[in-house]
Amino acid sequence: MEFIIFLSKLDKEILDLLTKANYIVEENKVECLLNKKIKGLHNFEENKIIICTENAKRKTNYRNLKQQLNKDNFKTKRAIRKALRHEATHAIQKCNNNKTVGDIKKLESKLHQSKKKALEFSTSNFSGTYAKELEAYVLEDKPKKVKNLIKKYCL
């Protein structure tokens, strides 16, 4: 799986914990082709997370490092890491009887302005509720918290 090369040490730990929690993590499946705007998705029925690496690379103007030595593809790394954490948050919610784990009012105050449009997109195009998507968008910037919540709720 190519997306692993973009992960930090902490994100690799999150991936390992998801596997221990009986999650299947796949990459670039047909769902990614059906909606080229998404970078990841969570399939509740099958305990499956799909990372859309090709979509993330296209959206972040990924450049092959052999062609451009001065590019480190920071935006691509960030997009894929956030996609994994976002979908891992949905796994945590599933482990918690399909409910959020945080206080939604507190989470609302922590949502960065730049993510409001993404939150609207997610709640209007996918089956996630406002509260679940809000929590996932807030936690995608908090890898340590995601790691600890997987341990607490899924293992």
Side-chain angles (χ1 to χ4, degrees):
M1 290 189 288
E2 180 188 13
F3 80 90
I4 293 172
I5 67 171
F6 296 102
L7 300 180
S8 68
K9 181 178 181 266
L10 188 52
D11 291 303
K12 288 176 184 171
E13 291 174 23
I14 290 169
L15 180 61
D16 288 342
L17 289 170
L18 287 168
T19 304
K20 285 180 185 167
N22 294 319
Y23 262 81
I24 298 165
V25 181
E26 298 181 327
E27 180 176 50
N28 296 326
K29 301 310 258 183
V30 68
E31 295 89 340
C32 302
L33 294 171
L34 295 173
N35 189 337
K36 296 192 180 211
K37 292 181 181 178
I38 61 171
K39 295 179 216 99
L41 62 138
H42 178 264
N43 181 321
F44 276 82
E45 289 81 36
E46 297 179 33
N47 281 7
K48 186 185 293 183
I49 290 173
I50 301 169
I51 302 298
C52 301
T53 306
E54 291 305 317
N55 290 356
K57 286 165 59 174
R58 191 182 60 263
K59 284 189 81 158
T60 58
N61 296 315
Y62 174 82
R63 296 288 173 256
N64 186 325
L65 293 179
K66 291 174 185 150
Q67 294 168 348
Q68 284 191 315
L69 295 174
N70 294 336
K71 281 263 190 194
D72 73 349
N73 292 307
F74 170 76
K75 288 181 180 178
T76 305
K77 288 178 188 175
R78 184 177 60 195
I80 290 172
R81 291 171 183 183
K82 285 185 177 197
L84 177 67
R85 296 174 204 151
H86 182 103
E87 303 312 331
T89 300
H90 290 312
I92 293 162
Q93 293 163 345
K94 182 174 182 187
C95 294
N96 189 37
N97 294 317
N98 216 13
K99 296 183 290 204
T100 59
V101 296
D103 180 328
I104 295 308
K105 289 294 175 201
K106 286 181 184 172
L107 290 171
E108 279 181 321
S109 67
K110 293 179 180 179
L111 185 69
H112 194 274
Q113 277 301 116
S114 65
K115 293 188 180 186
K116 293 214 190 269
K117 204 176 259 190
L119 177 59
E120 274 180 39
F121 174 79
S122 293
T123 52
S124 64
N125 289 289
F126 301 100
S127 59
T129 65
Y130 171 81
K132 288 183 193 173
E133 289 299 326
L134 172 67
E135 184 169 64
Y137 278 110
V138 170
L139 290 181
E140 67 185 28
D141 293 324
K142 301 180 182 318
K144 286 181 186 169
K145 185 153 187 145
V146 170
K147 176 185 165 186
N148 291 333
L149 288 171
I150 293 170
K151 288 178 178 178
K152 180 177 180 179
Y153 289 97
C154 298
L155 298 178

